[in-house]
Amino acid sequence: MKILHVTVNLAPRYGGVVQAVLDMAGALAARGHEVTIYTTNQDGPEQLDVPLNEPVMRDGVEVRYFPIQNPRFWGTSLPLAEALKADIPKFDVVHTHGLYLFHDLCTGHYCRKHGVPYIMQPHGTLDPYMYQRHRYRKSIMETLFGNRNIKRASGLIYTTEEEKILAKPYTFGAEGYIVPNGLDMSDYETLPEKGRFRSQYPQLQDQKMVLFFSRLNFKKGLDILIRAFSIVQAQHPDSMLVITGPDNENFGARAREWIQEEGIESKVIFTGMLTGQEKLAVLRDADLFVLPSYSENFGIAVIEAMVCGTPVMISDKVNIWRELEANRAGRVAPCSPELFAEGMNELLADKELSTAMGQRGRELVQNLYQWERVGESLEKVYMAVHRDAGQSRPRLQKVVANETRRM
């Protein structure tokens, strides 16, 4: 099949969604499909140093970057729109990532115009917590194109059953498929020697290391974590909090204020964003990974920690919490500093419990979250969508003709 993925950006600073798009495209290419990604060169306030409007091969996937334009918050790129208009008819199925954005508008319109089936993946934007954010602006987008895109899509892809349940009130009964994110296990076959990360920070020696590994962002629950860690200090004064991740919105300044208010400046280390072996080293050395998010579509960093054998504790707003709880592969708590502190204290105090949990976490990733298996599931969705679109093409063409006349 010829498959097109469309997403607003591919800069590493944007976290798990970017990695998920690249990995799922790579998994499909490995299964013999012809996979292309259309995106922009957006990288925060800057631009990626990449060729524009020409193919860049990446793990068997053709990536085409188009220039980001104002208004940047909308992911605007008129050259991207022109390319979609010209090229969408060449593909068997189109998979668009994210809602309320410029590429979302263009992809839905040209797919319907050319009778090409398209699948939408909201990546958590239909979680009630995120759905209410910037509600006025989003309601305009929904009226102009968003609701129509969902109603006419061949289906929506969710990474967990929890995400599907949360999104149900906003999807007009659209077909939903559950396809999790995954990891390439070959990237984790050889892990750094324990102690490599700690050796860079003398203050970590002989300390229990609690790790926050995610973007520094309003929804990640850093306020919960900092208060919880302050409570933990009473029982575990030999613990340190390491905060690792990109700070795209200067949210780190707010986090530092909370740390100062709690009087724990000497117990917290900020590392910035880590990648490659440095990322694996910090995950490997952590005694406990924590993610108390208010909203989290999947949590790719959670399964990265799990595959490194690190015990994890997450909020019940991280959508893989049901899977972790059912397999005893992680500790789950509500978004409460006191309850988070209770779980952190128990795991930091019981090495045997933590080790067993880390082992079960690694086994869960191996069983459910490998891209090889995820790619097979995604392939089945595409083939079903393509088949169904072929059977309904005459009716679809009539609907599109009527819609086009109104525009």
Side-chain angles (χ1 to χ4, degrees):
M1 297 180 71
K2 295 188 67 175
I3 302 163
L4 175 64
H5 287 259
V6 189
T7 189
V8 63
N9 49 54
L10 285 180
R13 71 167 66 227
Y14 296 110
V17 173
V18 168
Q19 194 59 50
V21 173
L22 290 169
D23 287 345
M24 73 174 66
L28 289 161
R31 297 187 65 82
H33 299 285
E34 188 175 331
V35 187
T36 304
I37 300 174
Y38 279 12
T39 188
T40 75
N41 65 340
Q42 183 181 26
D43 185 12
E46 306 298 330
Q47 291 82 40
L48 291 173
D49 183 16
V50 291
L52 297 178
N53 198 20
E54 61 180 79
V56 176
M57 297 306 298
R58 187 167 179 169
D59 297 327
V61 176
E62 180 182 301
V63 183
R64 287 181 178 264
Y65 296 91
F66 299 89
I68 187 70
Q69 298 171 325
N70 290 325
R72 295 171 68 99
F73 77 88
W74 199 32
T76 311
S77 175
L78 294 179
L80 171 61
E82 288 298 315
L84 291 170
K85 178 180 180 181
D87 296 344
I88 276 178
K90 303 173 184 176
F91 294 92
D92 297 311
V93 65
V94 178
H95 184 155
T96 181
H97 299 268
L99 306 180
Y100 307 112
L101 295 167
F102 179 80
H103 75 276
D104 176 32
L105 162 67
C106 299
T107 302
H109 173 69
Y110 289 120
C111 282
R112 292 192 298 273
K113 180 176 181 179
H114 295 293
V116 177
Y118 66 96
I119 293 174
M120 305 178 70
Q121 187 162 355
H123 290 286
T125 52
L126 295 180
D127 181 306
Y129 181 84
M130 297 302 296
Y131 182 79
Q132 294 302 328
R133 186 171 168 81
H134 303 308
R135 182 89 295 268
Y136 176 72
R137 187 172 77 194
K138 288 178 179 177
S139 67
I140 296 173
M141 302 299 179
E142 288 163 354
T143 300
L144 292 176
F145 65 89
N147 290 344
R148 181 168 63 248
N149 276 359
I150 291 175
K151 291 176 181 177
R152 301 283 174 81
S154 295
L156 277 72
I157 286 183
Y158 308 103
T159 55
T160 62
E161 180 68 29
E162 183 77 0
E163 183 189 5
K164 183 179 179 181
I165 292 169
L166 292 171
K168 185 177 180 180
Y170 317 118
T171 57
F172 309 99
E175 186 74 38
Y177 304 94
I178 298 175
V179 181
N181 288 334
L183 294 179
D184 182 349
M185 295 300 290
S186 65
D187 293 339
Y188 301 85
E189 287 177 354
T190 304
L191 296 173
E193 184 178 353
K194 258 190 171 298
R196 172 173 162 176
F197 175 80
R198 288 174 180 269
S199 67
Q200 302 173 47
Y201 296 91
Q203 62 268 49
L204 284 174
Q205 302 308 310
D206 301 319
Q207 298 286 297
K208 295 170 182 174
M209 177 177 154
V210 177
L211 175 65
F212 172 90
F213 185 89
S214 190
R215 288 179 296 131
L216 278 59
N217 181 273
F218 71 94
K219 73 171 187 174
K220 300 294 184 176
L222 275 167
D223 55 334
I224 297 171
L225 174 58
I226 290 165
R227 176 59 189 146
F229 183 73
S230 179
I231 296 171
V232 165
Q233 286 294 295
Q235 187 169 326
H236 296 282
D238 59 339
S239 60
M240 294 282 295
L241 174 61
V242 174
I243 297 177
T244 294
D247 186 4
N248 296 339
E249 302 165 359
N250 199 31
F251 196 78
R254 187 74 184 99
R256 286 179 169 86
E257 290 178 6
W258 292 326
I259 291 166
Q260 188 173 24
E261 289 169 5
E262 296 291 342
I264 54 173
E265 299 97 318
S266 65
K267 305 296 289 184
V268 183
I269 297 171
F270 285 83
T271 71
M273 183 176 178
L274 299 179
T275 59
Q277 287 296 302
E278 292 304 313
K279 175 184 77 171
L280 297 180
V282 72
L283 290 169
R284 176 86 164 136
D285 276 5
D287 293 293
L288 177 63
F289 170 101
V290 287
L291 185 61
S293 289
Y294 291 105
S295 171
E296 196 74 40
N297 171 50
F298 183 80
I300 194 72
V302 180
I303 63 172
E304 287 183 305
M306 289 162 63
V307 81
C308 292
T310 303
V312 303
M313 182 169 183
I314 62 174
S315 76
D316 59 3
K317 302 302 181 183
V318 180
N319 285 345
I320 58 171
W321 73 268
R322 295 182 189 273
E323 289 81 353
L324 266 64
E325 196 167 70
N327 291 276
R328 297 185 299 137
R331 177 60 60 88
V332 179
C335 290
S336 157
E338 291 74 21
L339 293 177
F340 240 81
E342 182 181 318
M344 290 165 65
N345 275 329
E346 182 179 1
L347 290 169
L348 290 173
D350 193 332
K351 183 65 175 177
E352 184 176 342
L353 172 65
S354 295
T355 300
M357 183 179 289
Q359 180 58 38
R360 288 192 294 269
R362 182 173 175 83
E363 291 170 357
L364 180 62
V365 176
Q366 291 171 333
N367 292 334
L368 294 184
Y369 301 124
Q370 294 194 52
W371 272 120
E372 182 178 353
R373 296 181 180 181
V374 175
E376 182 179 357
S377 298
L378 198 55
E379 178 186 66
K380 291 177 180 177
V381 172
Y382 290 161
M383 292 178 71
V385 164
H386 183 60
R387 181 188 64 245
D388 292 347
Q391 293 172 351
S392 61
R393 193 171 297 277
R395 179 185 62 82
L396 178 63
Q397 289 174 338
K398 183 177 180 180
V399 170
V400 170
N402 290 336
E403 180 179 311
T404 302
R405 282 197 292 271
R406 292 195 300 268
M407 297 186 69

